[in-house]
Amino acid sequence: MVAAATYNGTAGTADDGRSSGVQDLNMFYDTGHLAFLTVSSVLVLLMIPGVGFFYGGLARRKSALQLILLSMISVAVVGFQWFFWGYSLAFSRTGSSFLGDLTQFGLMNTLAQPNGSANLPDILFCLYQGMFASITPALLIGAVADRGRILPGMVFIFLFATVIYCPIAYWTWNPNGWLFKLGALDFAGGGPVHINSGMASLAYSIMLGKRTGYSSTQGLPYRPHSVTNVVLGTVFLWVGWFGFNGGSALAMNLRAVMACYVTNLAACCAAVTWMLLDYRLEKKWSTIGFCSGAVSGLVAITPAAGFVTPWGAVIVGIVGGACCNGATKLKYLIGVDDALDIFAVHGIGGAVGGILTGIFGASYIAGLDGTAYAPIGWIEHHWVQLGYQLSGICAAAAWSFTMSSIILFLMNLIPGLSLRVSVSGEEEGVDSEECGEYAYDYVEITRHVADSASSGAVSSNSSIHEKTPRVTG
């Protein structure tokens, strides 16, 4: 690796990188770092259709395509928002303790000046962080499953990215942000991405109301319609998370490698933990349980990945998987139809990971990037760190839930932006109602609500028309 020249352009305010008078701006950056973060950006992008397949597989056939589409809509809507003003609001070099300014509006003067790290030019840091901004609403929008409209979802994605994501990202990662100054640690997005999306999805689920036929004790007795798609989505997410967490080192160094390793280890431990917890109930080895556990482990390790040892990652994975598994029962206690358990996996998983970062964070792991760090977690007797972590968790959760609820309530009052499909549209299926297209080749049959051999025990008034794949042979 050849050492790059030290950047000698204007510092403190955004410029285009050419104030140095040097024509070849590449001289300031090592191509290894540039390549690593570019590939990491692509890996995070890969996660977003993974979210769509994961959610689509968990949902009913007649809702699957909408969930895949909305995940990709998130990329498009936030892609523009991030260019327009999102990047400036979250990562401008000047601003208050709560929000950035518009000095980089429309990516003006955003090119080669370092940002986020001395190893990255503004434009690459913008690309990488833009993928984080895109995946966050993709995670929460699964709350619309079976009953939400697309147009309000698109509007909410834009408003969410602006009013909710950008402030939390600024507090957490911008050196001017109040959580950053406080000392709260979040390596790759436990607060801005996971707690944020989990709380926003909870608010969306509440504002939408329960699906027709929802029971306060069992939910809807539908099984996931495509376990294969759930596995496919899990694979996309698992692979992409190497860029999500590893890339958050913002350079190709040993800290990035360690972040990748502990990410994989936590996912493995959580997957087995969740599967064993489900096995105790029905004595079946659940593929859905394995996949849900893997994702919960990936979520829990996200804030901790650049701070914990491999043995710490084992604890994060086991505790994260167990807590998220148990949290899936909370929706029955609070009476909310969280169709895809987004709050349980992302909201609770992100909080658990943030807390465990304050306990198992180690300065010698963070120092693998070549920088000296003060003691971090309880294992280094830095007791106050847990308080900082709780501050970050509570701030992200409160802002996300409160502002999401307000935005959704106001949207629902505006003609044309009502959140929920019509009764007939829900009966027919949101793919038919909203997309006019289907995830599969369909024929119409009558399927009973109780997806079991004992369906005759349920009133025939519960039967619905659902589209299922045509069988040929």
Side-chain angles (χ1 to χ4, degrees), residues 271-326:
V272 174
T273 298
W274 191 305
M275 188 170 59
L276 288 173
L277 288 172
D278 281 1
Y279 181 82
R280 84 188 194 282
L281 299 175
E282 297 183 6
K283 299 298 185 288
K284 303 289 185 182
W285 298 103
S286 170
T287 306
I288 296 293
F290 179 90
C291 293
S292 298
V295 173
S296 70
L298 293 166
V299 170
I301 197 64
T302 293
F307 301 109
V308 298
T309 60
W311 65 264
V314 171
I315 298 174
V316 171
I318 294 172
V319 175
C323 289
C324 291
N325 181 284

Side-chain angles (χ1 to χ4, degrees), residues 26-112:
N26 295 289
M27 67 178 293
F28 298 123
Y29 300 102
D30 185 273
T31 54
H33 296 316
L34 298 183
F36 176 61
L37 264 294
T38 301
V39 171
S40 293
S41 301
V42 175
L43 287 172
V44 179
L45 176 61
L46 178 68
M47 295 171 67
I48 300 176
V51 171
F53 280 108
F54 187 88
Y55 286 169
L58 287 174
R60 295 160 64 186
R61 286 182 180 85
K62 61 184 184 180
S63 305
L65 186 63
Q66 182 207 33
L67 294 172
I68 298 172
L69 174 61
L70 278 169
S71 71
M72 298 310 298
I73 285 175
S74 179
V75 179
V77 172
V78 179
F80 170 75
Q81 185 271 353
W82 200 244
F83 153 79
F84 187 68
W85 60 20
Y87 180 66
S88 189
L89 291 174
F91 291 104
S92 63
R93 293 169 179 78
T94 52
S96 68
S97 294
F98 297 94
L99 189 65
D101 54 32
L102 295 178
T103 53
Q104 292 175 261
F105 175 81
L107 296 192
M108 61 182 179
N109 301 321
T110 302
L111 183 59

Side-chain angles (χ1 to χ4, degrees), residues 240-263:
W241 230 290
F242 284 87
F244 193 86
N245 285 358
S248 292
L250 303 180
M252 185 64 264
N253 52 40
L254 285 175
R255 192 182 190 190
V257 176
M258 179 61 79
C260 289
Y261 184 83
V262 297
T263 295

